[in-house]
Amino acid sequence: YISDTKAHKDYFVEEFGADPQKGAVLYLKADDTIYYPMQIEKPVEWKDKFVVLYFGSVLPLQGIPVVLEAIRQCAADDRIRFVFVGPLEKSLHVDTNQYANTAFYSWLSQEELAKKIAMADLCLAGHFNSEISKAKRTIAGKTYIYRAMGKPVILGDNAANRELFEEEKNQIYFVEMGNATALAKLIKHIVDDWSNVQ
């Protein structure tokens, strides 16, 4: 059997009695024909803003309510603009008009998504849901995409993410899962660092 992280393999061993000798861990990888470092200009109205991007299919384990609450808590900080890509209207029935600091896209082609990621200063990877155990055992596929494009990321602090990543200033940050306030504070802290070098 194949699992995507050691943490997931351990789960199969403990939960189902799988033979650890018969399991292999194969980490995911970004398609580097689409996702690679590129220079894309920000829209004129966001030229001097710090752009934070999140994309996802809005599955529960991704922790979308945590992301949206963090966005809301950053609303008063005029330095920050968010880009959210995902079908919110189909699953969470979110009123996107409440988020003046955010550009929402239901979905984009992979090529268009890559361009949006390229103009971001920071990307949110997750997973951010602390209630679903699978969120702690897996590395979000978007993490590989962001890193393939050379983007700084915020990861949920769990065993799976720490298999491949460690804290690295200006590149990799960890945040407590399920804690929107901690996520918002971390985003603002990163923006403070960015503002100091502008």
Side-chain angles (χ1 to χ4, degrees):
Y1 60 96
I2 296 171
S3 57
D4 55 347
T5 63
K6 291 173 188 167
H8 223 161
K9 179 185 173 187
D10 291 344
Y11 167 77
F12 290 130
V13 172
E14 292 165 19
E15 188 73 12
F16 303 108
D19 183 347
Q21 301 301 317
K22 293 183 178 177
V25 175
L26 289 179
Y27 293 105
L28 299 177
K29 190 178 172 208
D31 182 343
D32 58 13
T33 65
I34 299 172
Y35 301 108
Y36 53 86
M38 61 179 82
Q39 296 294 321
I40 300 287
E41 291 289 313
K42 294 177 184 175
V44 174
E45 65 273 19
W46 287 14
K47 211 64 166 170
D48 301 321
K49 306 299 183 183
F50 186 91
V51 177
V52 181
L53 179 140
Y54 179 86
F55 83 89
S57 53
V58 197
L59 294 171
L61 65 78
Q62 293 172 347
I64 303 305
V66 175
V67 173
L68 292 174
E69 176 58 19
I71 290 173
R72 193 191 65 75
Q73 290 185 26
C74 290
D77 193 329
D78 194 50
R79 300 171 298 171
I80 310 171
R81 290 296 179 270
F82 290 88
V83 174
F84 189 105
V85 182
L88 282 174
E89 69 286 345
K90 291 183 180 175
S91 54
L92 298 178
H93 309 293
V94 172
D95 180 4
T96 55
N97 294 318
Q98 294 180 359
Y99 300 86
N101 60 343
T102 307
F104 288 94
Y105 301 89
S106 290
W107 209 245
L108 297 170
S109 69
Q110 290 196 72
E111 290 75 15
E112 285 300 314
L113 175 61
K115 290 176 184 175
K116 290 285 187 280
I117 295 170
M119 73 171 198
D121 297 294
L122 174 69
C123 296
L124 307 180
H127 296 303
F128 298 112
N129 186 315
S130 60
E131 305 296 316
I132 298 175
S133 59
K134 184 179 178 183
K136 301 169 186 173
R137 303 192 301 266
T138 56
I139 299 171
K142 60 183 70 63
T143 306
Y144 300 99
I145 288 173
Y146 296 148
R147 294 307 293 154
M149 295 190 69
K151 291 297 174 178
V153 296
I154 296 180
L155 305 173
D157 194 352
N158 62 48
N161 279 329
R162 288 190 178 272
E163 288 176 25
L164 292 185
F165 305 101
E166 57 185 42
E167 201 97 34
E168 182 184 342
K169 186 168 173 55
N170 301 325
Q171 286 299 315
I172 297 171
Y173 305 86
F174 287 91
V175 71
E176 180 187 351
M177 296 171 69
N179 190 334
T181 298
L183 178 57
K185 283 182 179 175
L186 178 54
I187 291 169
K188 290 175 189 176
H189 172 71
I190 294 167
V191 176
D192 286 341
D193 287 347
W194 171 81
S195 297
N196 291 334
V197 297
Q198 291 302 300

